[in-house]
Amino acid sequence: MQLSFLTSLFDRPGPWASVYLDTSVIDESAAERRELQAREACQDLLGQGCDQDTARAVYEALTSGRPPHEQGRAVFAAHGEVVLDPPLSRRPLAPAEVTWAALPRLGPLLDLAAAEPVCLVAYIDRTGADLELRGPRGERPAGTVRGRDWPVHRTASADWSERHFQTSVENTWEENARTIAEAVAECEHETGADLIVLAGDARERRSVHDRLPADVRPLAVESEHGGRADGAGTRLLDEDVEAAREEHLRRTADQELDRFRSARSDTGGGPSAAEGVPALVEAAREHRIAELLVRTEGPDAHREVWVGAEPDQIAVRRSDTHYLGERDPLPARADDALLRSAVMAGAEVLRVRPEDDEEVPVGGLGALLRWPYAEGEREAAHTGAG
């Protein structure tokens, strides 16, 4: 997954207030309950050393009006300002998680928002399509495709002229399907959508699917539900989109874990993967991480490291940060520090769940590297020894 929407968290210094709240219960006491949650979260922040201005900004954000169907809140603030308040697609596991630390607390966000693949939904009929993007930050229109609107309807007559007309109708359908397929592929390339769901007219969506370019077709699935017409139901389509997302996540995790297992083998020019905090810290300092693998349940995720103001200022021992040009290093969780480095280096991030593999990567943190370790670095890559 790409976490580029988090870059705003790293273009200013900390410390940071990070608050996750479960707000999924909706009843007549919801407003009162949320105000109490906000007040308790801010008291917790103040108890951890947060300044008054930042605590006040968090309180105002948490008590502001939001959609009643939201699953939870995640608020990140520093220096009296809320910097990011992303929507959550899943409810937090704990009623509240409140942190005041050198870096934003990002681990929970991998499960609650950022893990959601971006889906391009195409609502298709025989005259065109409406495109919609669904991602971690909600839904938004992505354009409209207009094909030929005549002739598009068959007749029941069997004489020669009507058969000729019906052939023209077939040609219009096929031409429109080609136009829609080209537009869907172009939108996927421009937006980087992870998967495509084709909904609407059964014949036309199948025709569109068949005409997608070879590099895009594997990303597409069809849904029998929803459509372009006014009043078309969306509940079952929403379920199909969610199923497609879950399948995409499972398939991607399987593929990436296979790549990781293969890359860490000691063959060729040396392992092009690393695991263990010391090896990953070294890779982050050298901007070598291409994809970070995070299993938040692993013991290394909450191991303490030391960080400076820049993403590559990260060290296992406090004394090491002086060599990186940082006079006043601060302690941070290993997963948060490595996530910062990965995001700012444009690396991918894979959330590894226990059902994917509860032992890989060892300790819960690993990485595929942009280039392999040299011969002398192999042991550190395998053992995580500093």
Side-chain angles (χ1 to χ4, degrees):
M1 76 187 72
Q2 272 287 342
L3 299 178
S4 56
F5 73 97
L6 297 177
T7 55
S8 60
L9 298 177
F10 305 124
D11 61 4
R12 66 197 73 197
W16 285 87
S18 304
V19 178
Y20 295 88
L21 294 181
D22 180 356
T23 59
S24 60
V25 178
I26 305 297
D27 56 25
E28 65 277 4
S29 303
E32 181 180 350
R33 184 186 308 106
R34 292 189 185 191
E35 196 280 333
L36 177 61
Q37 286 179 306
R39 188 160 13 104
E40 290 179 344
C42 291
Q43 289 173 350
D44 194 347
L45 285 171
L46 292 170
Q48 295 181 45
C50 177
D51 61 277
Q52 290 281 352
D53 289 343
T54 300
R56 186 179 303 110
V58 170
Y59 176 84
E60 291 174 355
L62 291 174
T63 54
S64 64
R66 289 290 291 265
H69 59 272
E70 68 181 4
Q71 294 296 300
R73 298 294 300 271
V75 173
F76 303 93
H79 305 286
E81 179 185 2
V82 171
V83 179
L84 190 65
D85 185 5
L88 302 183
S89 58
R90 296 176 175 85
R91 57 183 294 185
L93 295 178
E97 182 174 346
V98 180
T99 306
W100 176 250
L103 297 178
R105 179 74 188 98
L106 296 180
L109 204 61
L110 298 182
D111 285 321
L112 304 178
E116 185 177 315
V118 176
C119 179
L120 174 60
V121 181
Y123 300 90
I124 298 168
D125 65 18
R126 296 180 183 182
T127 65
D130 297 321
L131 307 182
E132 175 185 79
L133 276 178
R134 302 188 183 192
R137 310 195 74 172
E139 303 173 5
R140 64 179 175 88
T144 297
V145 186
R146 292 183 175 87
R148 290 176 55 195
D149 57 8
W150 188 90
V152 293
H153 299 294
R154 283 178 165 174
T155 68
S157 177
D159 66 36
W160 179 87
S161 63
E162 292 301 334
R163 288 199 302 273
H164 177 73
F165 179 81
Q166 290 175 15
T167 299
S168 297
V169 170
E170 295 276 356
N171 290 339
T172 300
W173 290 349
E174 298 306 318
E175 181 179 332
N176 288 351
R178 188 176 299 107
T179 300
I180 296 168
E182 290 172 354
V184 167
E186 182 179 357
C187 186
E188 189 280 330
H189 289 148
E190 290 178 352
T191 62
D194 299 294
L195 66 153
I196 300 166
V197 174
L198 306 176
D201 182 89
R203 172 178 173 138
E204 196 72 0
R205 72 170 187 259
R206 168 48 50 183
S207 188
V208 169
H209 190 282
D210 291 343
R211 284 163 175 74
L212 289 171
D215 63 322
V216 174
R217 196 178 307 129
L219 304 179
V221 297
E222 296 182 47
S223 170
E224 298 179 355
H225 307 109
R228 200 179 185 200
D230 292 339
T234 61
R235 182 181 62 82
L236 294 177
L237 173 62
D238 292 344
E239 293 178 1
D240 288 346
V241 170
E242 184 59 28
R245 282 174 168 155
E246 290 298 324
E247 173 59 22
H248 171 82
L249 289 172
R250 186 198 60 76
R251 185 172 61 251
T252 299
D254 288 345
Q255 292 170 349
E256 294 307 295
L257 286 172
D258 285 345
R259 284 184 61 205
F260 180 78
R261 294 185 188 98
S262 176
R264 72 180 181 179
S265 63
D266 201 8
T267 60
S272 54
E275 54 194 333
V277 171
L280 291 168
V281 164
E282 184 69 21
R285 284 203 295 254
E286 298 176 354
H287 307 274
R288 201 187 296 192
I289 295 176
E291 181 174 19
L292 181 68
L293 283 67
V294 181
R295 181 162 51 83
T296 57
E297 302 81 8
D300 281 351
H302 53 78
R303 181 172 169 179
E304 184 178 87
V305 298
W306 292 85
V307 299
E310 300 300 324
D312 56 1
Q313 291 179 320
I314 176 174
V316 175
R317 292 176 293 272
R318 189 180 193 280
S319 58
D320 293 341
T321 57
H322 295 293
Y323 298 105
L324 306 178
E326 177 58 52
R327 293 186 176 183
D328 299 307
L330 295 170
R333 286 177 58 115
D335 55 354
D336 291 333
L338 290 168
L339 280 166
R340 178 179 70 158
S341 295
V343 168
M344 297 308 288
E348 295 277 347
V349 176
L350 176 67
R351 163 61 164 118
V352 182
R353 295 176 174 81
E355 59 265 30
D356 298 327
D357 194 318
E358 62 182 9
E359 297 181 356
V360 175
V362 173
L365 297 173
L368 287 161
L369 305 178
R370 298 185 192 277
W371 63 89
Y373 279 107
E375 184 70 27
E377 299 172 301
R378 290 189 179 192
E379 183 177 353
H382 280 293
T383 65

